[in-house]
């Protein structure tokens, strides 16, 4: 049995139709509007949290400790916002407002693990001075690093 060759397995190729169809990527303006709505909702939740924290606390932090604590709390709230909506639904309120949804390169709906993996890819795009997001401006398909990594993109469902 050791002398026999292992069967050659062909890697699963994407369908030829998926390679020929153009991606219906949402415009940068629609994606920016969705991000702005999501950021506004996250900021409103953060301000409400901060007000409740200030009312319930007997001594408030100040200076550098307060600034770092607020930045960490805002980051965590933004991350929880994304996790909440990508775990329970398939779009954030900003995406629904802009009429865009996530779609795979094969024109399917992404799975829940793929949606959560997109959050990690978003963090990777944001880390080096947001270069992963800026890449979408120069990319021929208007896709960022997180889109290419997860093989998903924001598709527009606006009527032309």
């Amino acid at each position: 049995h050791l002398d026999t060759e292992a069967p050659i397995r062909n890697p699963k190729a994407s369908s030829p139709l998926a390679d020929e169809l153009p991606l219906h990527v949402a415009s940068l303006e629609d994606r920016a509007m969705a991000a702005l709505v999501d950021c506004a909702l996250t900021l409103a939740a953060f301000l409400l949290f901060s007000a409740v924290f200030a009312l319930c606390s007997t001594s408030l932090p100040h200076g550098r400790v307060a600034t770092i604590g607020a930045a960490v709390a805002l980051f965590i709230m933004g991350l929880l916002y994304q996790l909440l909506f990508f775990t329970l639904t398939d779009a954030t309120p900003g995406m629904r407002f802009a009429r865009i949804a996530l779609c795979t390169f094969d024109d399917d709906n992404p799975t829940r693990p793929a949606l959560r993996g997109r959050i990690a890819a978003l963090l990777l795009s944001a880390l080096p001075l947001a270069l992963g997001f800026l890449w979408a401006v120069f990319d021929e398909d208007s896709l960022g690093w997180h889109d290419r990594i997860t093989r998903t993109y924001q598709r527009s469902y606006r009527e032309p």
Side-chain angles (χ1 to χ4, degrees), residues 24 99 156-160:
H24 300 287
R99 295 187 182 191
S156 177
Y157 287 97
R158 285 189 185 269
E159 295 184 18

Side-chain angles (χ1 to χ4, degrees), residues 70-87:
V72 168
L74 184 59
F75 173 77
I76 290 172
M77 288 187 83
L79 188 63
L80 288 175
Y81 177 87
Q82 293 285 323
L83 280 172
L84 174 75
F85 284 105
F86 284 146
T87 299

Side-chain angles (χ1 to χ4, degrees), residues 34-35 37-38 41 80-103 109-112 114-116 118-119 122 153-157:
V37 169
D38 290 335
L41 290 172
L80 288 175
Y81 177 87
Q82 293 285 323
L83 280 172
L84 174 75
F85 284 105
F86 284 146
T87 299
L88 300 178
T89 66
D90 56 352
T92 64
M95 291 170 64
R96 291 185 193 279
F97 179 76
R99 295 187 182 191
I100 56 179
L102 290 173
C103 185
N109 291 329
T111 62
R112 297 280 178 226
L115 291 173
R116 288 188 295 271
R118 185 173 167 87
I119 296 170
L122 282 168
Y153 66 98
Q154 291 180 330
R155 181 178 182 155
S156 177
Y157 287 97

